[in-house]
Amino acid sequence: ANAAAGVLYIARHPFDVAVSLANHMHSSLQHAVDLVCDDDYLLARFKNGSNAQVEQRLLNWSRHVESWLQSPHHLLLVKYEDMQQRPQETFGGMAEFLGFQKSREEIASALAACKFEKLQAKELKDGFREKPSSANVFFRSGKVGEGLERLTLAQQQQLHYCHAEMM
């Protein structure tokens, strides 16, 4: 397969993104909701000037999604929710899009090897390099719909106001 075969853009519902971001940044849910709605959000912007990674302009959730959907790249939009609810079909489609000819059995084997619970256990045993020092764990829950359970009605309304058109 070719490394430049295309771009897999994985989009997750902004309610769930906010919950995950709060954990990732070790911040309040409200702060994460505000960031998901921030038109000028920059990842890795530190006031003390010590950047551990290259600053990345993420924009707000809708503008970030839109920027990728309008990019000139050969792109496949993958919904995180589809990865959870229809993994065989979704990952099979991703492999095909990238030019990998894999059987249903090979896809099923890869999915079994990468089950969320296995990733959590591996992180607990060996750590995970991408986990920010402020977070307890990187592979926290992976649950679809957690935003509906954890965000207040006002936070859900704020996110809906910011992103209704793209959601």
Side-chain angles (χ1 to χ4, degrees):
N2 180 350
V7 173
L8 295 174
Y9 183 80
I10 300 172
R12 190 174 188 187
H13 193 285
F15 290 13
D16 293 341
V17 168
V19 173
S20 184
L21 183 61
N23 176 73
H24 189 77
M25 296 184 64
H26 199 65
S27 72
S28 70
L29 285 172
Q30 185 58 55
H31 180 68
V33 167
D34 292 341
L35 290 178
V36 172
C37 290
D38 184 349
D39 286 339
D40 296 316
Y41 180 55
L42 289 176
L43 183 64
R45 177 181 9 193
F46 298 101
K47 292 182 178 154
N48 67 5
S50 63
N51 287 1
Q53 66 182 26
V54 174
E55 192 172 86
Q56 302 163 57
R57 182 172 296 285
L58 295 183
L59 311 169
N60 72 32
W61 180 86
S62 290
R63 289 184 58 209
H64 190 269
V65 173
E66 180 180 36
S67 74
W68 278 99
L69 293 179
Q70 292 179 352
S71 78
H73 303 290
H74 181 56
L75 181 135
L76 177 65
L77 171 65
V78 179
K79 294 181 180 177
Y80 181 86
E81 296 77 12
D82 292 342
M83 292 169 46
Q84 296 288 325
Q85 295 162 356
R86 297 189 320 277
Q88 181 74 38
E89 175 187 337
T90 304
F91 282 89
M94 292 164 66
E96 183 178 325
F97 173 80
L98 294 174
F100 294 106
Q101 302 303 316
K102 300 296 177 186
S103 68
R104 285 189 63 78
E105 293 78 23
E106 289 172 306
I107 298 293
S109 177
L111 289 168
C114 296
K115 283 198 167 294
F116 198 83
E117 297 78 17
K118 287 188 177 186
L119 296 173
Q120 284 178 315
K122 182 162 177 44
E123 179 184 7
L124 287 175
K125 180 181 176 230
D126 301 327
F128 187 70
R129 184 176 31 185
E130 297 295 319
K131 180 189 82 69
S133 59
S134 60
N136 294 327
V137 293
F138 186 87
F139 295 103
R140 184 187 54 80
S141 120
K143 187 176 170 186
V144 171
E146 191 173 16
L148 282 173
E149 296 170 4
R150 302 229 3 239
L151 298 173
T152 66
L153 180 58
Q155 290 166 334
Q156 291 175 29
Q157 289 171 336
Q158 180 182 351
L159 287 165
H160 191 268
Y161 176 80
C162 294
H163 306 298
E165 187 175 321
M166 187 59 71
M167 292 187 336

